[in-house]
């Protein structure tokens, strides 16, 4: 039997709220490496390799664990994942 993540119903048809930048890094004046978009609300945050890890913080505090990479060339099943399990 195929496993279906219980968070899949949280996925919405959203657009990035801040394409090209981490909203929280811009506000704090900190750098980021790669960007992740919340699949529930569209918030853009920085990846776990970035100093502040804003995408993970949002996932844990807002209860929106499904994210998608905003990196060019990253598409398909490997571009979307649950922040509680991996980066």
């Amino acid at each position: 039997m195929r496993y279906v993540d219980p968070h899949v119903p949280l996925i919405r048809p959203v657009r990035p709220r801040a394409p090209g930048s981490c909203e929280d890094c811009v506000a704090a004046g900190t750098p980021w490496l790669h960007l992740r978009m919340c699949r529930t609300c569209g918030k853009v945050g920085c990846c776990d390799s970035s100093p502040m890890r804003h995408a993970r913080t949002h996932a844990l505090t807002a209860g929106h664990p499904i994210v998608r990479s905003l990196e060019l060339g990253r598409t398909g099943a490997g571009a979307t994942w649950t922040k509680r399990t991996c980066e």
Side-chain angles (χ1 to χ4, degrees), residues 8-12 15 17 19 21 28 31 37-39 51 56-57 63 65 67 73 76-77 86:
V8 169
L10 296 173
I11 296 174
R12 306 279 184 263
R15 291 182 184 228
R17 293 189 336 203
S21 64
M37 180 189 72
C38 173
R39 295 290 309 269
R56 180 170 299 277
T57 300
V67 297
C86 64

Side-chain angles (χ1 to χ4, degrees), residues 31-47:
W32 64 86
L33 294 177
H34 304 291
L35 299 173
R36 309 292 183 244
M37 180 189 72
C38 173
R39 295 290 309 269
T40 301
C41 70
K43 181 176 177 74
V44 176
C46 55
C47 70

